[in-house]
Amino acid sequence: MTTFDDILEEVGKFGPCQKRIFGLLCLVSMPWAGIYVGIVFQGFTPPHWCRQPAVQEQRQACGWTLQDSVKMSVPLVNVSGELQPSSCLQYDVELNQSALSCEQSQDLDLSHSPTSSCRHGWEYDYEGRRSFVTEFDLVCSDAWLVDMYQATLNVGFLIGSIAIGYLADRFGRKLSFLMSNLLNGITGILVAVAPNYVSLLVFRTLYGFGVKGGWVAGYVLITELVGVEFRRTVGILYQMFFSVGILLLPLLAYYITDWRWLQVVITVPYILFLSYYWFIPESPRWLLSQNKKDKAVEITEAMAKENKMTLSKKIEVQTAGPTAAFTARSKVMSGKHSKHYRKHTGIWFTSAVVYQGLIMRLGILGGNVYIDFLISGLVEFPAAFLILFTIERIGRRLPFATANFVAGASCFITACIPDSMFWFKTAVACIGRLCITITFEMVVFVNTELYPTFVRNFGVSVCSTLCDVGGIVAPFLLYRLAVIWLELPLIIFGSLAILAGALVLLLPETRGVPLPDTIDDIEFPESNKQLRNECLILLLN
């Protein structure tokens, strides 16, 4: 009399079959990185100044550089204590009516002339490249519209993760995964061909609807196919491939200079993932929870065969009907069960704000965004190995909380270090990036361990909604507060990370606890183990 985890003893806990499926599903995390933080390159805002046709003509006639003409025609403004050429103002004079020579024009002093906003658009110091910011002129008074590009994606995440999470528990992990990838392929191409910014935001929202839900369905599927001792490892490595995507993104962006073609390249993998229909099975654990014994037996036997194992016992299942399942789902998501989930939603919110905020901050620091992003991606890799090294030795809560506290402290310290201490500031910032990556990866698999099988996908999706709310808030916090003081967002991010660390300490420890299959497993995780084994799945000789 055993659970499905015990069935895996015969099938193979992590045999060739699970390794093949795991390798295929890990690839899903890579393009998601380009969608999640691609705004750093697709929405890059380069140095820009008012376009003045007369100045452009004189620059060409006199052989000036762009900087020469900017010095002559753009007023200086105070930016963080330094005088810099204004990005949004121009001298309100008619230079085309003057008969000045090239030398006289360069010596012309317009500092006391009146100024006005840009009348003829902008010039960008972004030769040979194009972002949607430069294409749609989303600068100055329209700069806030750039924030909407990331916010609408997270709106799609929020709605789609709940909808697809429910569908994955109702109709299966595999079907939901495939349908989300079909949606991703269609909407991703629509984003690439959007004729204007309004349609771009609409398509971007639809894009987000399928992306996250499909990713979570893949995550839940692979964790349900492996033995309990491998569950944490595959969950963390599944997310680590997101970091691989982070590394590939700056390389792609460097060689693909147009944001639309970069969007196409990011989307193509989702079309290829539709071929997984022939390569990945439905979750037998989910099939058993839905009383679909015959299909579960068929898939389990196929897994055993591929693993060169023999499944010698007959599976019998006792499950509740649809009405009972709905009642149980409501019970799990309400009452005393919801207290842990409320804490977890708060942790997801803070993790999303800080993680996205720190990555998007790379685009406004003024350095080489490709090198900075690459370094940032490399910093993420130790996170997975630190998690795997600590969670079975120490547990979940302590590493989880410590990573949040250190990330918060790093944000505070980085904000206080002067720019003259560049390498020290970079090192502290990297520590912060490493720790927030640890929390961002741990929040998913810890949440997975809190739900029974029949609502696991839906429960993870519901709790992750505040992650999406955090993603909506993050660009506005970063870009708007950075206008006041470049380091101000770090103060906010640090405070949120400290708060998350405190919330983590209130969660139950789940080290060594099997995935719950019923509500009783949540209420009585220890005393009900033997009873649960007798009620869910019976193996009869």
Side-chain angles (χ1 to χ4, degrees):
M1 297 183 183
T2 55
T3 65
F4 182 74
D5 287 315
D6 296 317
I7 297 174
L8 290 174
E9 295 280 353
E10 286 195 355
V11 174
K13 296 180 180 180
F14 193 48
C17 178
Q18 289 103 321
K19 290 175 182 177
R20 173 181 59 81
I21 298 167
F22 172 63
L24 290 172
L25 289 176
C26 279
L27 299 178
V28 178
S29 292
M30 293 168 62
W32 192 33
I35 298 166
Y36 199 59
V37 293
I39 187 175
V40 173
F41 302 103
Q42 292 177 301
F44 184 71
T45 302
H48 54 279
W49 304 275
C50 296
R51 178 186 290 114
Q52 300 181 66
V55 175
Q56 284 182 310
E57 293 175 6
Q58 199 161 19
R59 182 171 71 224
Q60 293 175 356
C62 299
W64 296 340
T65 64
L66 177 61
Q67 285 69 27
D68 290 335
S69 60
V70 165
K71 289 179 182 178
M72 185 194 78
S73 60
V74 176
L76 297 177
V77 294
N78 190 320
V79 179
S80 299
E82 297 181 7
L83 289 178
Q84 298 180 9
S86 172
S87 298
C88 304
L89 296 175
Q90 65 179 52
Y91 287 120
D92 191 12
V93 295
E94 295 293 338
L95 293 176
N96 60 331
Q97 295 179 357
S98 64
L100 299 174
S101 65
C102 294
E103 291 76 12
Q104 290 174 319
S105 295
Q106 285 189 309
D107 294 334
L108 191 63
D109 183 9
L110 299 176
S111 58
H112 299 291
S113 302
T115 59
S116 65
S117 58
C118 301
R119 299 174 179 174
H120 305 286
W122 288 264
E123 287 187 282
Y124 298 93
D125 189 9
Y126 205 46
E127 186 177 356
R129 295 185 173 273
R130 184 169 67 165
S131 68
F132 66 78
V133 172
T134 63
E135 180 174 338
F136 299 116
D137 283 338
L138 302 180
V139 293
C140 298
S141 61
D142 290 332
W144 66 275
L145 291 171
V146 178
D147 308 353
M148 294 298 296
Y149 184 78
Q150 193 72 0
T152 52
L153 175 73
N154 282 275
V155 169
F157 284 169
L158 191 153
I159 301 172
S161 60
I162 295 177
I164 295 177
Y166 171 78
L167 293 175
D169 285 328
R170 182 70 178 83
F171 300 105
R173 304 350 183 178
K174 179 178 177 179
L175 179 62
S176 299
F177 172 80
L178 293 172
M179 293 305 296
S180 68
N181 281 291
L182 176 61
L183 178 63
N184 297 341
I186 295 171
T187 54
I189 297 300
L190 289 175
V191 169
V193 299
N196 53 60
Y197 196 60
V198 173
S199 62
L200 175 62
L201 294 181
V202 172
F203 296 146
R204 179 82 166 164
T205 305
L206 296 174
Y207 198 26
F209 184 91
V211 168
K212 184 180 177 183
W215 185 86
V216 172
Y219 180 92
V220 172
L221 174 59
I222 188 58
T223 56
E224 290 183 343
L225 288 175
V226 302
V228 62
E229 59 265 49
F230 295 99
R231 190 177 73 221
R232 285 83 178 181
T233 302
V234 299
I236 295 301
L237 294 180
Y238 181 80
Q239 295 180 77
M240 192 185 76
F241 274 78
F242 181 91
S243 300
V244 177
I246 291 284
L247 282 181
L248 293 177
L249 183 59
L251 301 177
L252 290 174
Y254 183 80
Y255 290 105
I256 302 174
T257 58
D258 191 305
W259 73 273
R260 292 184 183 271
W261 282 110
L262 181 59
Q263 174 64 36
V264 170
V265 170
I266 291 172
T267 301
V268 166
Y270 287 106
I271 299 174
L272 299 178
F273 293 152
L274 293 175
S275 65
Y276 284 14
Y277 175 84
W278 292 280
F279 300 113
I280 64 173
E282 182 54 87
S283 167
R285 191 189 295 266
W286 175 82
L287 290 168
L288 291 173
S289 75
Q290 301 296 309
N291 203 21
K292 298 180 179 181
K293 185 186 73 170
D294 292 342
K295 187 64 176 177
V297 170
E298 178 186 340
I299 292 174
T300 305
E301 289 177 343
M303 291 173 59
K305 182 178 179 180
E306 186 173 345
N307 288 341
K308 294 180 171 50
M309 304 289 283
T310 301
L311 186 63
S312 59
K313 299 177 181 179
K314 181 181 178 182
I315 301 175
E316 292 189 6
V317 190
Q318 295 178 354
T319 59
T323 302
F326 177 80
T327 303
R329 181 182 291 112
S330 301
K331 183 179 179 182
V332 169
M333 299 306 293
S334 62
K336 69 177 183 179
H337 304 289
S338 66
K339 63 182 181 180
H340 296 317
Y341 310 141
R342 286 195 297 268
K343 297 168 190 172
H344 223 277
T345 53
I347 297 166
W348 275 50
F349 173 80
T350 56
S351 297
V353 170
V354 180
Y355 183 82
Q356 287 193 56
L358 291 181
I359 292 182
M360 291 189 294
R361 183 173 176 268
L362 297 172
I364 64 174
L365 293 180
N368 186 318
V369 67
Y370 302 99
I371 298 298
D372 292 344
F373 203 93
L374 190 65
I375 294 173
S376 178
L378 287 171
V379 167
E380 291 200 0
F381 275 92
F385 299 106
L386 286 172
I387 293 172
L388 293 174
F389 181 77
T390 58
I391 58 174
E392 295 301 339
R393 293 172 173 81
I394 302 175
R396 276 79 165 129
R397 280 192 304 179
L398 185 57
F400 199 179
T402 301
N404 274 290
F405 290 138
V406 175
S410 298
C411 288
F412 290 135
I413 296 171
T414 302
C416 298
I417 299 174
D419 292 337
S420 58
M421 302 175 68
F422 175 76
W423 289 111
F424 180 51
K425 187 167 187 172
T426 300
V428 175
C430 285
I431 293 173
R433 277 282 289 115
L434 170 63
C435 290
I436 199 59
T437 300
I438 291 175
T439 68
F440 203 61
E441 292 183 358
M442 288 193 71
V443 72
V444 181
F445 86 82
V446 170
N447 201 188
T448 305
E449 295 175 335
L450 295 176
Y451 289 97
T453 299
F454 61 90
V455 291
R456 182 170 297 121
N457 210 122
F458 180 70
V460 171
S461 298
V462 168
C463 270
S464 73
T465 54
L466 272 188
C467 171
D468 305 321
V469 174
I472 296 171
V473 171
F476 293 97
L477 279 178
L478 174 68
Y479 297 128
R480 296 315 109 211
L481 293 180
V483 173
I484 302 172
W485 178 38
L486 185 62
E487 310 296 358
L488 182 57
L490 288 178
I491 303 299
I492 304 299
F493 297 156
S495 302
L496 291 174
I498 296 295
L499 173 62
L503 290 175
V504 168
L505 294 176
L506 301 177
L507 291 177
E509 178 58 65
T510 57
R511 182 180 61 162
V513 179
L515 280 177
D517 288 315
T518 67
I519 295 176
D520 287 342
D521 294 339
I522 303 173
E523 292 182 333
F524 312 108
E526 293 299 329
S527 62
N528 241 28
K529 281 183 180 179
Q530 187 173 358
L531 180 61
R532 169 175 52 79
N533 289 345
E534 296 174 356
C535 292
L536 179 63
I537 301 173
L538 302 177
L539 296 178
L540 302 178
N541 291 320

